[in-house]
Amino acid sequence: MGQLQQFLPFVLMFVVIYFFMIRPQQKRAKNEREFESTLKVGDKIITKSGIHGKIAELGDSTVIIETMAGKLKMERSSISMEFSATLNKKA
């Protein structure tokens, strides 16, 4: 019984860390993967660096974005959100 009381705080700390840090990060990563897989040509997007544009072409791991200045080739993971979806949510 004495050994159980010694390790109980460590077990409780691990449980708290799991539910407050590890699990939310896994859910966020899963949502990002789902978002990246649902992208399609013509979607208006915003990159993580703040560039607004429209998807012109899709590759396996890359995206070609059409902006007012020209076309940019970027990784899919650099896309932050779909702009048209955020506009629809606000309306």
Side-chain angles (χ1 to χ4, degrees):
M1 187 70 175
Q3 288 181 339
L4 180 64
Q5 287 178 345
Q6 269 185 322
F7 291 110
L8 190 62
F10 293 111
V11 171
L12 289 174
M13 274 192 335
F14 179 75
V15 169
V16 168
I17 288 172
Y18 176 78
F19 280 106
F20 285 108
M21 297 178 78
I22 298 171
R23 191 163 182 256
Q25 186 176 1
Q26 288 174 340
K27 286 178 79 174
R28 198 172 318 123
K30 180 183 174 190
N31 288 341
E32 285 182 16
R33 283 192 304 271
E34 288 176 2
F35 170 72
E36 289 173 15
S37 67
T38 61
L39 291 174
K40 58 188 178 299
V41 175
D43 284 348
K44 294 182 180 179
I45 51 102
I46 302 172
T47 65
K48 290 181 181 176
S49 60
I51 298 172
H52 292 239
K54 188 167 69 171
I55 296 177
E57 295 177 36
L58 286 170
D60 289 336
S61 64
T62 59
V63 173
I64 296 182
I65 300 170
E66 188 175 328
T67 64
M68 293 183 80
K71 292 185 177 183
L72 301 170
K73 185 174 186 176
M74 304 183 95
E75 294 293 318
R76 279 186 182 223
S77 60
S78 68
I79 296 173
S80 173
M81 68 176 114
E82 183 183 0
F83 191 62
S84 55
T86 57
L87 287 177
N88 292 338
K89 285 182 185 178
K90 289 180 183 177

